[in-house]
Amino acid sequence: MLKKVLISTLILVMVSLSACMSLGNVSYKQARMLKQEGFILSDEGWTLALPERLLFGFDEYAIQNNQKKNA
């Protein structure tokens, strides 16, 4: 009987801890890749932290020329 209680308690603790380790509905591999690309998991979900502002013209989809990297 004691063994069943200990096992049940252990399972409950493991489930509780795994719920606290949420990666925002992505797998571990996806989360690792997102972090490598500069994304940060926040309260709102995954956000991209850029070193500088990325500006677009009004009602345009293309990045301004002075914002583009020289490849």
Side-chain angles (χ1 to χ4, degrees):
M1 179 68 179
L2 181 62
K3 188 175 182 180
K4 287 183 180 180
V5 171
L6 288 175
I7 291 175
S8 298
T9 305
L10 181 62
I11 290 173
L12 180 63
V13 168
M14 288 174 44
V15 169
S16 298
L17 289 176
S18 66
C20 294
M21 200 176 95
S22 174
L23 296 174
N25 296 329
V26 297
S27 70
Y28 175 75
K29 286 183 178 181
Q30 291 170 326
R32 189 174 64 197
M33 186 273 312
L34 286 169
K35 287 182 180 181
Q36 287 175 352
E37 295 299 323
F39 285 83
I40 299 170
L41 182 58
S42 66
D43 292 337
E44 292 86 31
W46 288 97
T47 57
L48 181 59
L50 296 174
E52 60 184 51
R53 297 179 85 180
L54 183 59
L55 302 175
F56 292 84
F58 181 76
D59 202 22
E60 293 183 14
Y61 64 90
I63 299 172
Q64 295 177 2
N65 287 333
N66 61 351
Q67 293 272 316
K68 294 181 182 180
K69 283 188 177 180
N70 295 330

